[in-house]
Amino acid sequence: QADVIWEKAIYGGTTYGQNALIIIDDINGDAFQGVIVGTAWDDRSIAAFSGKTGEQIWKHDTHEYGDGGWVYQVDARFDYNNDGVKDILAATGDDTNGTGPKRIYCLDALNGEPIWECYTGGPNFAVVGIEDMNGDDIPDALAGASNSAESEGKVYCIDGNDGSIEWTYNPAGSSVWAAEQLKDINGDEIPDVALGDFSGHIYYLDATNGNMLKN
């Protein structure tokens, strides 16, 4: 039986799934990797913990918007504010009153403060960082989402500089729960992207404009 190094209770909440738990590079100077957790149910936050002790380093509570929103995925692939530390993306949903966050957060990994926020108007179920697709030498982001009624799937490519939406794609399914970056598949030397929706389809899109390459 393995020894427990540390454990941390999430009062009033839990993680929605594996995508809401990631390991990141050292962010508090203890020479150990950290842990980022996105929570659902009542807690509805993004929090950073020391991988050495389990001590909370910071917490960003989504109750700043209405009753907050479940956090479905967190990601830490790229540095968005050029401080040498990979930052945190988080996909958040809505509350029962339509006043929740409904946005993609890009948070400074050192303190949890927003670098930018991208409001989409509906729940966001997936987000990943992607390599620069618009030529400004700043990494960008790809989000899977739905409209406010959760009847139309949405994909958003987000400018990593300011959080503005570069392009939107509408797949067949009612929501998009999976997003990922591919290698370049159309020969323009920019890595392309893939997504999966609730209709059971996988789509391959040109990262620069959202045009479908394959499905």
Side-chain angles (χ1 to χ4, degrees):
Q1 182 177 354
D3 294 330
V4 176
I5 298 174
W6 57 263
E7 60 181 299
K8 197 75 176 180
I10 302 172
Y11 297 102
T14 183
T15 55
Y16 183 81
Q18 183 174 342
N19 284 348
L21 177 68
I22 59 172
I23 303 299
I24 62 169
D25 295 336
D26 176 27
I27 57 172
N28 65 341
D30 65 4
F32 283 77
Q33 291 177 305
V35 180
I36 301 294
V37 180
T39 61
W41 302 101
D42 292 338
D43 192 67
R44 304 183 183 191
S45 68
I46 306 107
F49 300 92
S50 164
K52 181 180 181 180
T53 66
E55 179 184 2
Q56 181 175 296
I57 301 170
W58 54 257
K59 181 176 182 177
H60 191 105
D61 192 341
T62 71
H63 287 86
E64 62 190 334
Y65 299 105
D67 290 327
W70 287 18
V71 182
Y72 292 97
Q73 184 167 6
V74 289
D75 183 82
R77 305 185 188 192
F78 295 101
D79 175 13
Y80 289 92
N81 60 359
N82 200 32
D83 65 356
V85 180
K86 294 177 182 177
D87 297 303
I88 311 302
L89 298 174
T92 65
D94 197 4
D95 61 17
T96 57
N97 302 312
T99 58
K102 296 179 285 188
R103 64 193 64 216
I104 301 297
Y105 286 96
C106 180
L107 303 179
D108 187 326
L110 297 178
N111 56 28
E113 292 298 315
I115 297 171
W116 50 256
E117 300 176 10
C118 177
Y119 178 77
T120 66
N124 303 280
F125 302 114
V127 66
V128 293
I130 62 173
E131 294 185 32
D132 176 32
M133 48 70 63
N134 59 6
D136 65 358
D137 294 324
I138 298 172
D140 299 307
L142 181 74
S146 187
N147 64 340
S148 59
E150 295 191 41
S151 59
E152 299 177 7
K154 299 285 185 180
V155 179
Y156 301 103
C157 183
I158 302 168
D159 188 330
N161 179 51
D162 59 10
S164 60
I165 295 174
E166 289 278 341
W167 52 257
T168 303
Y169 181 78
N170 300 97
S174 60
S175 56
V176 176
W177 284 75
E180 191 53 88
Q181 181 150 63
L182 307 168
K183 294 181 179 180
D184 175 25
I185 61 175
N186 64 353
D188 65 357
E189 299 184 355
I190 297 175
D192 296 303
V193 296
L195 61 104
D197 73 1
F198 235 42
S199 71
H201 288 84
I202 303 294
Y203 303 84
Y204 299 85
L205 306 181
D206 185 328
T208 66
N209 55 28
N211 289 341
M212 186 168 66
L213 303 174
K214 297 179 180 180
N215 72 343

